[in-house]
Amino acid sequence: MTASLPRKDLFDLPEGMIYLDGNSLGPLPVAVKDHLASVVAEQWGQHLIKGWNLDDWMEQPVRVGTRVGRLIGAPAGSVVMGDTLSLKVYQALSAALEMRPERKVVLSDSGNFPSDLYMAEGLIRHLGKGHELRVVAPEEVEAAITDEVAAVMITQVDYRTGRMHDMAAITRKAHVEGAVMIWDLAHSAGAVPVDLAASNCEFAVGCTYKYLNGGPGAPAFIYVRPDLVDTIQPALSGWLGHDAPFAFEQSYRPAKDIERMRVGTPPVLQMSALEVALDAWEGVDMADLRAASVRLCDLFIAEVEAKCPELQLVSPRDASVRGSQVSFAFEHGYAAMQALIARDVIGDFRAPDVMRFGFTPLYIDEGDVIRAVEILAEVIDQRLWDNPAYRRTGRVT
Ligand SMILES: *Cc1c(COP(=O)(O)O)cnc(C)c1O
């Protein structure tokens, strides 16, 4: 059966808040509260070390990975959870570079999230083999894929603008030129339909605290194409990626399947929160979710352009090349976002002047969009942002 959207009753959203930041940190699913309390009290509290077997903690990273895989078109057993996205980027890229030892270029784009680029810089420096990180404009990615490129490492949906790459076309070009394709799905998983198997890419990575509502610090995921996984040499060769961790052998031997991308002890409490958070996706058809997301984003754009002409759309107008977020530039964007947040409409800000709003059809509807823009229009029309309290910046924007 297909579930109808939204499913607000599944989330514990504060009364009166319009939460348009699920692209950054998803809200608390109601079921997570009780489940986490019982995992703490019973599994950790009563079972203690026995929990690894009794409560199947050891299988959890693959079990949860398979559930995330269903949302991104990955077959069972091809995704494993663990660590943070930055580390998963490092794992995927290091494996990709070992697959193309004769090539020295890592291709990415200027719309990528900085951490992915920073991890690539660190890896390249550490390898010391003369690799080059080549960063081009998003529109130039396809043309920049040449036979010099070892790995194309791209985030599908741009965190600032929401611009979305054509996964099939870029992967095809990478393969024509003999490059390895790595997709970062941080702003795709749970936001847009993804078909990893059809794309034929070698690697994909992503996080679960954004659209998948796994909570702050929820584990990341990594996908390796099943026909390749046995040939991957993990750079982060921790004991839980070993073929027989409890044999305590002196040397590393990678596990025979996706478990070789595990590193160390998994975060059981976070993974348990995520496992139950994923229940919110049961019965949700990703095509319905996408249709609802496009409706919400289009409505938001139309309303803001009608009511706040000072704001400039920086996201694509064409929904087919836009993810599930909409951004507007405004000279006083930071202060305006603070004024908006003070009025319980939660979005966020990305330097230099981008006001960013995420649309998550699991718990946002048209009424929320219209109300949010009414409040935004008050902030702009009445210059409510022009208040010193709204110019102070916190560590996190
Ligand atoms: C959110 C995000 C990250 C964050 O990485 P963490 O290691 O989870 O902090 C990395 N890359 C992209 C593309 C992101 O959107």
Side-chain angles (χ1 to χ4, degrees), residues 327-369:
S327 300
F328 279 91
F330 178 53
E331 190 188 346
H332 308 286
Y334 181 79
M337 184 55 77
Q338 298 314 302
L340 206 54
I341 291 170
R343 287 159 183 82
D344 248 359
V345 177
I346 316 292
D348 60 21
F349 174 79
R350 289 293 174 261
D353 60 357
V354 173
M355 299 177 76
R356 189 172 72 151
F357 303 89
F359 295 90
T360 46
L362 288 185
Y363 51 85
I364 292 294
D365 62 21
E366 267 98 347
D368 296 322
V369 171

Side-chain angles (χ1 to χ4, degrees), residues 85-104:
L85 175 50
S86 301
L87 286 174
K88 292 305 175 205
V89 166
Y90 189 95
Q91 279 187 305
L93 186 58
S94 56
L97 294 182
E98 277 203 70
M99 289 164 66
R100 296 290 182 276
E102 71 292 356
R103 297 187 179 200
K104 297 292 180 225

Side-chain angles (χ1 to χ4, degrees), residues 21 49 65-66 99 168 172 190 243 262 273 332 347:
D21 213 1
I49 194 81
T66 288
M99 289 164 66
R172 209 177 305 121
D243 191 37
R262 293 175 67 165
H332 308 286

Side-chain angles (χ1 to χ4, degrees), residues 184-203:
D184 189 325
L185 304 177
H187 295 276
S188 307
V192 296
V194 175
D195 194 343
L196 281 182
S199 85
N200 209 31
C201 68
E202 284 85 352
F203 299 94

Side-chain angles (χ1 to χ4, degrees), residues 97-116:
L97 294 182
E98 277 203 70
M99 289 164 66
R100 296 290 182 276
E102 71 292 356
R103 297 187 179 200
K104 297 292 180 225
V105 175
V106 175
L107 182 69
S108 193
D109 74 11
S110 54
N112 207 344
F113 188 78
S115 196
D116 296 33

Side-chain angles (χ1 to χ4, degrees), residues 15-231:
E15 190 68 36
M17 179 185 284
I18 301 177
Y19 193 66
L20 304 180
D21 213 1
N23 52 312
S24 211
L25 177 68
L28 172 64
V30 175
V32 168
K33 271 189 172 172
D34 285 347
H35 182 68
L36 259 196
S38 88
V39 171
V40 169
E42 285 151 39
Q43 298 187 10
W44 180 15
Q46 297 300 311
H47 301 163
L48 287 134
I49 194 81
K50 295 183 287 182
W52 289 106
N53 289 318
L54 205 55
D55 301 304
D56 290 326
W57 292 344
M58 201 47 94
E59 284 70 43
Q60 203 176 24
V62 174
R63 185 170 76 234
V64 178
T66 288
R67 292 190 67 189
V68 170
R70 281 206 287 273
L71 300 173
I72 53 175
S78 63
V79 174
V80 70
M81 312 304 300
D83 317 299
T84 72
L85 175 50
S86 301
L87 286 174
K88 292 305 175 205
V89 166
Y90 189 95
Q91 279 187 305
L93 186 58
S94 56
L97 294 182
E98 277 203 70
M99 289 164 66
R100 296 290 182 276
E102 71 292 356
R103 297 187 179 200
K104 297 292 180 225
V105 175
V106 175
L107 182 69
S108 193
D109 74 11
S110 54
N112 207 344
F113 188 78
S115 196
D116 296 33
L117 302 176
Y118 301 163
M119 292 308 282
E121 287 177 10
L123 173 62
I124 286 170
R125 184 168 9 92
H126 186 74
L127 287 174
K129 291 185 182 159
H131 287 93
E132 171 201 344
L133 174 61
R134 193 172 289 171
V135 180
V136 301
E139 310 74 49
E140 290 161 10
V141 167
E142 238 181 283
I145 304 174
T146 63
D147 63 8
E148 283 180 291
V149 174
V152 182
M153 181 190 77
I154 300 284
T155 298
Q156 188 191 14
V157 177
D158 184 312
Y159 72 105
R160 263 177 307 215
T161 64
R163 175 208 34 74
M164 182 164 65
H165 278 301
D166 182 339
M167 189 180 265
I170 289 179
T171 307
R172 209 177 305 121
K173 178 75 191 288
H175 289 168
V176 165
E177 297 296 337
V180 176
M181 186 72 224
I182 303 166
W183 283 106
D184 189 325
L185 304 177
H187 295 276
S188 307
V192 296
V194 175
D195 194 343
L196 281 182
S199 85
N200 209 31
C201 68
E202 284 85 352
F203 299 94
V205 294
C207 52
T208 61
Y209 48 80
K210 293 172 181 164
Y211 291 89
L212 298 181
N213 313 311
F221 64 84
I222 185 164
Y223 161 84
V224 180
R225 208 175 67 198
D227 62 301
L228 292 173
V229 73
D230 286 351
T231 66

